[in-house]
Amino acid sequence: MKKNMGNEDRVIRIVLALIFAGLYFTDTVSGTVGLLLTVLGGIFVLTSLASFCPLYTLFGIKTCPTEKSDKA
């Protein structure tokens, strides 16, 4: 599994996951929508920890910086 997520993308996903969890656990959003946001937040955390998003591979997206070659 090659990394395809940059640091900014990972931070945004973790912040969104925290917001979703906060909304759910404070009963601001409840029911099916709250549960879906919580599951989505969990997926965001897992993909952030792995630095890999399966959907990015389907669409050819890569937000991690490319490695520079020192060839002169």
Side-chain angles (χ1 to χ4, degrees):
M1 211 171 16
K2 271 186 150 179
K3 292 183 178 184
N4 62 2
M5 285 181 21
N7 287 334
E8 297 87 11
D9 193 8
R10 294 172 63 201
V11 169
I12 290 170
R13 286 173 181 248
I14 289 175
V15 168
L16 283 174
L18 290 173
I19 291 170
F20 293 165
L23 289 173
Y24 180 73
F25 291 117
T26 60
D27 284 331
T28 304
V29 177
S30 61
T32 305
V33 174
L35 209 53
L36 287 174
L37 285 179
T38 305
V39 169
L40 185 62
I43 292 169
F44 280 174
V45 169
L46 291 175
T47 56
S48 293
L49 292 175
S51 296
F52 177 77
C53 179
L55 287 177
Y56 280 8
T57 58
L58 292 175
F59 295 109
I61 300 170
K62 189 174 182 183
T63 61
C64 64
T66 57
E67 295 179 13
K68 293 182 181 179
S69 178
D70 289 334
K71 294 180 183 177

